[in-house]
Amino acid sequence: MFTQWRFVISRCHAVASVTACKNRFYSANAIRIRDAINSQKVGDQLKIQGWVRSIRSQKEVLFLHVNDGSCLQNLQVVADPSLHDRKLTFGSAVQISGALVKSLHKGQDVELHASDIRIIGSCDPLKFPFKIKERHPVEYTRQFPHLRCRTNTAASLLRVRSEATLAIHAFFKDNGFLQIHTPIITSNDCEGAGELFQVELAQKDKKQNDERSHFFSIPVFLTVSGQLHLEAIAGAFSQVYTFGPTFRAENSQSRRHLAEFYMVEAEMSFTEGLEDVMKVMQSLFKTVTDNVLSQCPEDVALFHKHVSPGHKWGSDLQSEHEKYLVQHCGNVPLFVTNYPYNLKPFYARDNEDHPNHTVAAVDLLVPGIGELCGGSLREDRLSLLQSRLEMAGLSDVYHWYLELRQFGSVPHGGFGMGFERYLQCILGVDNIKDTIPFPRFSYSCLL
Amino acid sequence: MFTQWRFVISRCHAVASVTACKNRFYSANAIRIRDAINSQKVGDQLKIQGWVRSIRSQKEVLFLHVNDGSCLQNLQVVADPSLHDRKLTFGSAVQISGALVKSLHKGQDVELHASDIRIIGSCDPLKFPFKIKERHPVEYTRQFPHLRCRTNTAASLLRVRSEATLAIHAFFKDNGFLQIHTPIITSNDCEGAGELFQVELAQKDKKQNDERSHFFSIPVFLTVSGQLHLEAIAGAFSQVYTFGPTFRAENSQSRRHLAEFYMVEAEMSFTEGLEDVMKVMQSLFKTVTDNVLSQCPEDVALFHKHVSPGHKWGSDLQSEHEKYLVQHCGNVPLFVTNYPYNLKPFYARDNEDHPNHTVAAVDLLVPGIGELCGGSLREDRLSLLQSRLEMAGLSDVYHWYLELRQFGSVPHGGFGMGFERYLQCILGVDNIKDTIPFPRFSYSCLL
């Protein structure tokens, strides 16, 4: 078996090396605009591919700005007016060959002097919903989730989002955390709180089956948190995390809520106190933000210049208490710790500090957003957890969760960070719907 | 705003640096077993934390094997029998301090001579479902998704899975692809094929609402593929990918199907032919596999030694045609290209090769698994796509998809790779249920 498998792999290697791609898969030997702009290859003949972002025809010369998504900046293309085709419009897809030369124009080091312009796909500017050189309001672009990535703001957001995602994985990898794909479909209702989406066979398929029976034999839901599943794995791996979609059926049009959003969740075993959880929260925020700032400076600057000035810290829909706390403390991120016992879910660790009676829970509040992270130590003591679950009538449902405290239980804790709220926070995006490519919220599921 | 945001970040930095964690968040200055084993710090005093995997008490000496999930190998702990506590059993959680010394025993370079053993959490070996030094059949361990990560095989799988996940992200990052979170909840039924899960408000929440109305105003489903959404983004970014959960309500107990599984999907603009798609497929497979082999050699070896010998290439549930093709070609991975027009979904690009009439689609078949990847060029020509959608009565539903061909359309293509099938393939895991931490399939949704 091992030999055979080796053979399989090496055959794949052989095949791959024969047809190995040059130039990172870019077809027709084209290079990406980011690489063209950053290259010091002035004088070289290049081919680029992308979409026309602006076009200006003068008597003696034709100017184009072309973008391929690899960076915010467009490549300026200078061409003889004879290359101007009536199909060469805003939004059209082009392939352009020419010489890269030092630019005399402000705001760019190089430009492409075109020898050939091929129109790959035309675009009728009258039908295209975005207009040349216009900055459309987010409420307008949001109506076109299939096209809004062609605007600067949405494109910058997607680049930052991708970079932040990778930075989150790198942070956990560097710190010895194992990534776990916690399930999306679950029979647990993690917090007892939060409104749930239920999953069933689609109607058309259901008719062929027994209408009364569930596909999974039991009612199942979309996950509201991977925490309990992570806790199970933390019982063998000490440090684990998950980063994936999470769901809340909240009937809210708030600028801070989505029905489908991404959450980073981490769980650490052998904790000594709530500080162990807070340390990881802080370090995650700091490391990922540093990374985004250094990898996407132009994209971040676009937000700070054009998007966030219209956004006031602590605007209307934020909970009043959170707003007060953050403002009271000087408009900086702050931790709120040790919440009243009855306000937090069953898994939060009892501080046994009667008569106040709190649990070891912590929220990280940030200006303008409110709760960014929520975490706690988890109740690791079997008897305390058991009596709390019994009181709630949940001992049967969480029998497996109790078992985790029966077999080599350890003090542990963790937290979750809303990824879209994080993006709102660092970029100053007012409405969470503009931080995710395809937002889902009540009454809206476009595409 | 910019200043204020800067301030926020720097305050976070300040806070983080004051409480900055040493030793990568490991509490109580403990170090991970992997680091202890690989360190050259013989003679150092260390503290480790983990779970007892075996215990052997002799007259003069007590031997423990302790594992914390950081690697397959246990750390051998040697102690005076006076440190033996009756609660020190298989499965219990411990914290042990001592001196790291060169080991005279076979199969390990170092061992820990314990000066202190603290039992953090006990474990009744009679109640614990796994028995010391026993290799349990996968059908048995599968019944305990909350505990099976404490077995060697499941733990190795999770380490390989985590590493392969990171390698996939690294591959795409290195090759200039942007990561996109395509939606889980969608109003599209991508392929018209595949049985769907529908998403509704949970029953208990529904009662408070209008029973007849949908949360999203329209019926919505769990995604079967992020392809169409990726295509939208590829219209601005040239190279994009997604890696996330995907769903099929297939009522199958097959060893190759899950109701919830992970899929890697990539989409490339400006393609010149199907080879552009095949190149990326091959390179992804090769790069990720190289990475897993070099990062997790012990974990991979465990599978090849103990798991895959019982697995025969091309066993029963594989489709007969795929099996024949792979065997016919010498049991190596192979591409099958240019499928009959009527067998593939509407988006596959017409080869216009009458009378055969095929589309530019490609599947990668691998021994023992069958289809690992499926891809195609996409129909980028408006008129051809329009008439095909009209014939299928889908023009209205896919109006947005047609618009992508109207505004700067480019030749493009992509593929999807089933991540669990990939793990089956490289590790020789017979049943796909053993490649994911919490498997979901018909009649089963544990936890």
Side-chain angles (χ1 to χ4, degrees):
Chain A
M1 165 59 209
F2 186 78
T3 325
Q4 203 170 6
W5 182 85
R6 272 286 181 199
F7 177 59
V8 169
I9 300 301
S10 63
R11 268 299 283 259
C12 267
H13 286 195
V15 174
S17 64
V18 170
T19 57
C21 41
K22 293 174 202 90
N23 206 4
R24 297 185 163 182
F25 309 128
Y26 308 131
S27 44
N29 298 315
I31 79 162
R32 302 214 76 179
I33 286 174
R34 183 193 176 121
D35 298 332
I37 287 175
N38 293 333
S39 76
Q40 300 302 313
K41 297 185 176 176
V42 169
D44 278 19
Q45 289 291 320
L46 311 174
K47 193 187 288 179
I48 58 131
Q49 298 166 324
W51 291 267
V52 174
R53 284 293 182 87
S54 84
I55 181 160
R56 189 156 49 94
S57 182
Q58 294 181 349
K59 206 172 173 185
E60 313 261 302
V61 64
L62 172 70
F63 288 106
L64 297 176
H65 282 136
V66 181
N67 190 287
D68 67 357
S70 59
C71 60
L72 177 63
Q73 209 184 325
N74 302 318
L75 181 63
Q76 172 156 296
V77 175
V78 184
D80 188 274
S82 66
L83 292 177
H84 197 173
D85 181 294
R86 67 174 179 84
K87 285 194 164 176
L88 196 61
T89 59
F90 173 59
S92 59
V94 291
Q95 175 174 300
I96 302 178
S97 305
L100 197 70
V101 304
K102 203 168 150 40
S103 178
L104 302 174
H105 293 85
K106 207 169 62 172
Q108 59 198 18
D109 293 333
V110 292
E111 59 190 28
L112 190 71
H113 284 195
S115 54
D116 181 61
I117 299 180
R118 247 184 75 200
I119 295 156
I120 308 283
S122 61
C123 177
D124 182 344
L126 296 175
K127 290 184 184 159
F128 193 52
F130 305 129
K131 300 307 160 204
I132 192 164
K133 298 219 165 173
E134 208 167 290
R135 190 170 293 280
H136 302 83
V138 285
E139 293 77 11
Y140 177 77
T141 57
R142 217 180 279 154
Q143 298 171 61
F144 308 97
H146 58 308
L147 297 172
R148 71 170 170 171
C149 55
R150 303 182 190 198
T151 67
N152 276 346
T153 310
S156 282
L157 186 283
L158 289 180
R159 278 187 296 268
V160 169
R161 192 177 164 103
S162 180
E163 203 59 49
T165 300
L166 298 175
I168 286 166
H169 287 301
F171 169 82
F172 285 114
K173 161 86 174 167
D174 290 348
N175 288 291
F177 283 71
L178 194 82
Q179 190 194 359
I180 300 298
H181 288 122
T182 51
I184 306 302
I185 298 176
T186 173
S187 48
N188 283 315
D189 162 5
C190 172
E191 316 213 1
E195 314 222 310
L196 293 174
F197 288 112
Q198 190 159 356
V199 176
E200 284 289 350
L201 269 185
Q203 293 306 321
K204 60 168 186 177
D205 297 325
K206 228 177 174 177
K207 278 167 201 152
Q208 295 142 27
N209 292 272
D210 182 357
E211 291 241 6
R212 290 157 303 176
S213 75
H214 295 290
F215 181 89
F216 293 105
S217 304
I218 46 171
V220 296
F221 309 95
L222 293 183
T223 183
V224 295
S225 163
Q227 176 199 320
L228 304 190
H229 297 93
L230 271 191
E231 284 188 64
I233 311 287
F237 284 97
S238 312
Q239 297 193 133
V240 292
Y241 78 102
T242 188
F243 180 19
T246 316
F247 305 85
R248 299 277 160 88
E250 251 170 311
N251 194 343
S252 161
Q253 294 289 330
S254 138
R255 64 174 191 83
R256 302 194 300 154
H257 291 93
L258 289 168
E260 173 178 322
F261 58 100
Y262 280 71
M263 193 140 71
V264 183
E265 294 179 275
E267 201 69 30
M268 291 78 71
S269 290
F270 302 103
T271 45
E272 300 203 307
L274 207 48
E275 288 71 23
D276 288 339
V277 176
M278 290 152 68
K279 269 184 209 169
V280 183
M281 267 188 203
Q282 283 183 340
S283 189
L284 172 70
F285 185 93
K286 174 186 182 304
T287 309
V288 174
T289 306
D290 277 350
N291 199 297
V292 168
L293 282 176
S294 69
Q295 294 294 310
C296 308
E298 294 90 1
D299 294 314
V300 172
L302 174 128
F303 276 89
H304 291 178
K305 193 170 166 199
H306 295 296
V307 178
S308 58
H311 161 63
K312 287 196 186 73
W313 285 130
S315 52
D316 59 333
L317 283 170
Q318 184 183 340
S319 115
E320 285 305 311
H321 287 102
E322 290 174 357
K323 183 174 159 183
Y324 173 80
L325 277 171
V326 169
Q327 287 185 346
H328 180 74
C329 295
N331 256 0
V332 293
L334 68 100
F335 285 122
V336 179
T337 58
N338 298 321
Y339 281 71
Y341 180 87
N342 288 321
L343 292 184
K344 287 286 173 182
F346 66 83
Y347 51 70
R349 194 175 201 272
D350 193 342
N351 280 329
E352 298 186 290
D353 52 352
H354 299 276
N356 285 332
H357 208 190
T358 62
V359 289
V362 53
D363 282 353
L364 174 61
L365 309 184
V366 293
I369 311 294
E371 185 191 336
L372 177 65
C373 302
S376 78
L377 297 183
R378 319 306 188 186
E379 187 53 80
D380 56 303
R381 295 159 295 184
L382 182 62
S383 59
L384 286 168
L385 184 62
Q386 211 154 21
S387 60
R388 187 140 197 203
L389 282 171
E390 264 163 29
M391 268 170 22
L394 292 170
S395 322
D396 283 351
V397 185
Y398 289 111
H399 181 72
W400 67 272
Y401 189 68
L402 283 165
E403 282 194 347
L404 300 179
R405 275 66 180 167
Q406 222 173 327
F407 304 126
S409 180
V410 298
H412 64 289
F415 69 96
M417 179 179 87
F419 183 54
E420 284 76 18
R421 288 195 184 174
Y422 168 76
L423 293 174
Q424 278 189 281
C425 171
I426 64 162
L427 297 176
V429 175
D430 184 59
N431 196 313
I432 199 167
K433 300 177 182 70
D434 302 316
T435 60
I436 190 166
F438 302 94
R440 274 80 180 90
F441 49 97
S442 49
Y443 309 119
S444 180
C445 181
L446 294 178
L447 275 59
Chain B
M1 165 61 208
F2 186 78
T3 324
Q4 203 168 8
W5 181 85
R6 272 286 182 198
F7 178 60
V8 169
I9 301 300
S10 63
R11 269 299 283 259
C12 267
H13 285 195
V15 174
S17 64
V18 170
T19 56
C21 42
K22 294 175 200 87
N23 207 5
R24 296 183 164 183
F25 308 128
Y26 307 131
S27 45
N29 298 314
I31 80 162
R32 303 215 74 178
I33 286 175
R34 184 192 177 121
D35 298 332
I37 287 174
N38 293 334
S39 76
Q40 301 302 313
K41 298 186 176 175
V42 169
D44 279 18
Q45 289 291 320
L46 312 173
K47 194 187 289 180
I48 58 132
Q49 298 166 324
W51 291 267
V52 174
R53 284 295 181 86
S54 84
I55 180 160
R56 191 156 48 95
S57 181
Q58 293 181 348
K59 207 171 172 184
E60 313 262 301
V61 65
L62 172 71
F63 289 107
L64 296 176
H65 282 135
V66 181
N67 191 287
D68 66 358
S70 59
C71 60
L72 177 61
Q73 210 183 324
N74 303 317
L75 181 63
Q76 172 157 294
V77 175
V78 184
D80 188 272
S82 66
L83 292 176
H84 198 172
D85 181 295
R86 65 173 182 83
K87 285 195 164 177
L88 196 61
T89 60
F90 174 58
S92 59
V94 291
Q95 175 175 300
I96 302 178
S97 306
L100 198 69
V101 303
K102 203 167 150 42
S103 179
L104 301 174
H105 294 84
K106 206 169 63 173
Q108 58 197 19
D109 293 334
V110 292
E111 59 191 27
L112 190 70
H113 284 195
S115 54
D116 180 62
I117 299 180
R118 248 183 73 199
I119 295 157
I120 308 283
S122 61
C123 177
D124 182 344
L126 296 176
K127 290 185 184 158
F128 194 53
F130 305 129
K131 300 306 160 203
I132 193 163
K133 297 217 165 172
E134 209 167 290
R135 190 171 293 280
H136 303 84
V138 286
E139 293 77 10
Y140 177 77
T141 57
R142 217 179 280 153
Q143 298 171 59
F144 309 97
H146 58 308
L147 297 172
R148 70 170 173 173
C149 55
R150 304 183 189 198
T151 67
N152 275 345
T153 310
S156 282
L157 187 283
L158 290 180
R159 279 187 295 268
V160 169
R161 192 177 164 103
S162 180
E163 203 59 48
T165 300
L166 298 175
I168 286 166
H169 287 301
F171 169 82
F172 285 114
K173 161 86 173 167
D174 290 347
N175 288 291
F177 282 72
L178 194 81
Q179 190 193 0
I180 299 298
H181 288 123
T182 52
I184 306 302
I185 298 177
T186 173
S187 48
N188 283 314
D189 162 5
C190 172
E191 315 213 2
E195 313 222 312
L196 294 175
F197 288 113
Q198 191 159 354
V199 176
E200 285 288 352
L201 270 186
Q203 293 306 323
K204 58 167 186 175
D205 298 324
K206 228 178 175 175
K207 278 168 202 153
Q208 296 144 24
N209 292 272
D210 182 356
E211 290 242 6
R212 289 156 302 176
S213 75
H214 296 290
F215 181 90
F216 294 105
S217 305
I218 47 172
V220 296
F221 310 96
L222 293 183
T223 182
V224 295
S225 163
Q227 177 199 320
L228 304 191
H229 297 93
L230 270 191
E231 283 188 64
I233 311 287
F237 284 96
S238 312
Q239 298 193 132
V240 291
Y241 79 103
T242 188
F243 180 19
T246 317
F247 305 84
R248 299 278 159 87
E250 249 170 312
N251 195 342
S252 161
Q253 295 290 330
S254 138
R255 66 175 189 83
R256 302 194 300 153
H257 292 93
L258 289 168
E260 173 177 324
F261 59 99
Y262 279 72
M263 193 140 72
V264 183
E265 293 180 274
E267 202 68 30
M268 291 78 72
S269 291
F270 301 103
T271 45
E272 300 204 306
L274 207 48
E275 289 70 24
D276 288 338
V277 176
M278 290 153 68
K279 270 183 212 171
V280 184
M281 266 188 205
Q282 284 183 341
S283 189
L284 173 69
F285 185 94
K286 174 188 181 306
T287 309
V288 174
T289 306
D290 278 350
N291 199 297
V292 168
L293 282 175
S294 69
Q295 295 293 311
C296 308
E298 293 91 0
D299 294 313
V300 172
L302 174 128
F303 277 89
H304 291 177
K305 193 169 165 199
H306 295 296
V307 179
S308 59
H311 161 64
K312 285 197 186 73
W313 286 131
S315 53
D316 59 334
L317 283 169
Q318 185 183 340
S319 115
E320 284 306 311
H321 287 101
E322 290 174 356
K323 182 175 159 182
Y324 172 80
L325 277 171
V326 169
Q327 287 186 344
H328 179 76
C329 295
N331 255 1
V332 294
L334 67 100
F335 285 122
V336 179
T337 59
N338 297 321
Y339 281 72
Y341 179 87
N342 289 320
L343 292 184
K344 287 286 173 182
F346 66 83
Y347 53 69
R349 194 176 200 271
D350 193 340
N351 279 328
E352 299 186 290
D353 53 351
H354 299 275
N356 285 332
H357 207 190
T358 62
V359 289
V362 53
D363 282 353
L364 173 61
L365 309 183
V366 294
I369 311 294
E371 186 191 335
L372 176 65
C373 302
S376 78
L377 297 182
R378 319 306 187 186
E379 187 53 79
D380 56 301
R381 295 159 296 184
L382 181 63
S383 59
L384 285 168
L385 185 62
Q386 210 154 22
S387 61
R388 188 141 196 203
L389 282 172
E390 264 162 28
M391 267 169 24
L394 292 169
S395 323
D396 284 350
V397 186
Y398 289 110
H399 181 71
W400 68 271
Y401 189 68
L402 283 165
E403 282 194 347
L404 300 179
R405 276 66 179 167
Q406 221 174 327
F407 304 126
S409 181
V410 298
H412 65 289
F415 70 96
M417 178 179 87
F419 183 54
E420 283 76 17
R421 288 195 182 174
Y422 169 76
L423 293 174
Q424 279 189 281
C425 171
I426 62 161
L427 297 177
V429 175
D430 184 58
N431 195 314
I432 199 166
K433 299 176 182 72
D434 302 316
T435 60
I436 190 166
F438 301 94
R440 273 80 180 90
F441 49 97
S442 49
Y443 309 120
S444 179
C445 182
L446 294 178
L447 276 58

